[in-house]
């Protein structure tokens, strides 16, 4: 579906950048984030599992606590305090 494509597309457009939950929510659902909907968390979880299944994959989705998520190389240090 379009929604399944939107999330990885946004991460691919901005690798190594923190993507805030409200921005991702709006991009995937086309409505404003109310602060309670957990749809993005579920989609992130499924996307992580799909990335793990690719043998030659060098990328991972990291949670940046209190800020959002980031697509980065598996061996990259997290330096976004």
């Amino acid at each position: 579906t379009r929604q399944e494509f939107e999330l990885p597309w946004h991460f691919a457009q901005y690798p190594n950048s923190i993507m805030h939950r409200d921005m991702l929510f709006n991009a995937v659902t086309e409505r404003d984030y109310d602060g309670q909907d957990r749809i993005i968390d579920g989609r992130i979880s499924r996307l992580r599992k799909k990335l793990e299944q690719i043998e030659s994959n060098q990328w991972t989705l990291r949670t940046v606590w209190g800020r959002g998520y980031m697509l980065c190389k598996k061996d990259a240090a997290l330096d976004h305090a």
Side-chain angles (χ1 to χ4, degrees):
T1 67
R2 184 196 65 78
Q3 288 186 348
E4 290 174 333
F5 178 77
E6 287 293 327
L7 192 59
W9 184 85
H10 280 304
F11 280 112
Q13 295 300 307
Y14 305 98
N16 303 309
S17 298
I18 297 171
M19 308 293 281
H20 297 273
R21 177 183 277 123
D22 56 344
M23 191 280 307
L24 293 170
F25 184 87
N26 182 271
V28 170
T29 66
E30 297 182 342
R31 56 188 169 112
D32 291 332
Y33 181 58
D34 63 8
Q36 296 182 7
D37 199 320
R38 308 303 285 186
I39 196 169
I40 293 301
D41 299 330
R43 294 192 188 277
I44 293 287
S45 177
R46 286 190 291 280
L47 184 54
R48 281 181 174 147
K49 288 176 185 174
K50 289 179 181 182
L51 286 172
E52 290 171 6
Q53 292 175 352
I54 302 170
E55 288 183 33
S56 61
N57 176 38
Q58 298 177 16
W59 296 89
T60 189
L61 282 172
R62 294 225 174 124
T63 301
V64 182
W65 195 84
R67 298 189 63 199
Y69 301 97
M70 180 173 62
L71 178 69
C72 61
K73 294 274 187 165
K74 289 181 179 180
D75 58 357
L78 187 58
D79 189 27
H80 292 275

